[in-house]
Amino acid sequence: MVREQVSLPPFQVLVDEHWRDVARLARALAGAVDGDDVAQRAWEKAFAAYPKLTSAKNLRSWLLTITARCATDLHRARRPQTPLEDAPPVTVAGPDAADWPDPDLWKAVNELPERQRFAVTLKYVGDLDHHGVAAALDTTPAASRRLVSDALATLRTKFGEDHE
């Protein structure tokens, strides 16, 4: 099988253009403490996969998908592998609400179920469309719409329609 040659920009150009987006999404999904580690891991994975890309379309979405998956891996790694009797529940912190413009809103986002939290963060912090959110969460665009819709419904109920 012969691979078609793809014209990709130098990896440093990709980093220069998108490092803020990757850092912001990593911090939103993993929190202030782990966000830098998630971003670093995402860049490592992107660098390793970059020469094998078969398309130069939407590299930003590709990077944000890798970032979301690295954050998911972090959350999964922190969950206990076997249930422990009488053990307190494990909580994984999302973004530190105090670091965002509307701390009450981000505190509520942190309290959403994990997949809803990731979906709404990818949509509104990562600025991905539902196809991008679906790719990052390994689901369908319809499921992505539902996750975002359910998250927004929960937030609207908590804050009412007027919260800005």
Side-chain angles (χ1 to χ4, degrees), residues 78-99:
R78 291 197 172 154
R79 288 189 186 142
Q81 299 301 312
T82 55
L84 302 173
E85 291 186 28
D86 300 324
V90 174
T91 58
V92 179
D96 184 355
D99 291 340

Side-chain angles (χ1 to χ4, degrees), residues 14-163:
L14 191 70
V15 173
D16 292 343
E17 289 178 359
H18 301 292
W19 72 268
R20 284 180 184 89
D21 294 333
V22 168
R24 183 177 55 177
L25 182 62
R27 189 173 182 148
L29 293 174
V33 173
D34 294 317
D36 290 342
D37 291 338
V38 167
Q40 180 65 36
R41 184 71 180 133
W43 285 115
E44 290 170 1
K45 287 185 174 253
F47 183 73
Y50 198 61
K52 300 174 202 141
L53 282 179
T54 58
S55 172
K57 286 184 177 180
N58 209 349
L59 293 173
R60 179 181 178 275
S61 180
W62 174 73
L63 284 169
L64 296 181
T65 297
I66 292 171
T67 305
R69 289 184 178 163
C70 288
T72 300
D73 291 346
L74 171 78
H75 290 293
R76 286 182 181 153
R78 291 197 172 154
R79 288 189 186 142
Q81 299 301 312
T82 55
L84 302 173
E85 291 186 28
D86 300 324
V90 174
T91 58
V92 179
D96 184 355
D99 291 340
W100 293 86
D102 189 338
D104 292 335
L105 175 62
W106 282 100
K107 183 176 185 286
V109 169
N110 276 338
E111 294 168 356
L112 291 170
E114 181 179 283
R115 289 187 52 87
Q116 287 181 18
R117 185 177 73 242
F118 273 47
V120 79
T121 303
L122 287 164
K123 176 81 174 127
Y124 294 105
V125 175
D127 197 28
L128 293 178
D129 62 13
H130 286 292
H131 289 283
V133 173
L137 296 178
D138 199 24
T139 189
T140 65
S144 162
R145 281 184 190 85
R146 183 59 190 236
L147 287 166
V148 171
S149 176
D150 289 350
L152 293 176
T154 299
L155 295 172
R156 283 186 186 113
T157 298
K158 183 166 185 128
F159 291 104
E161 295 288 332
D162 303 330
H163 187 74

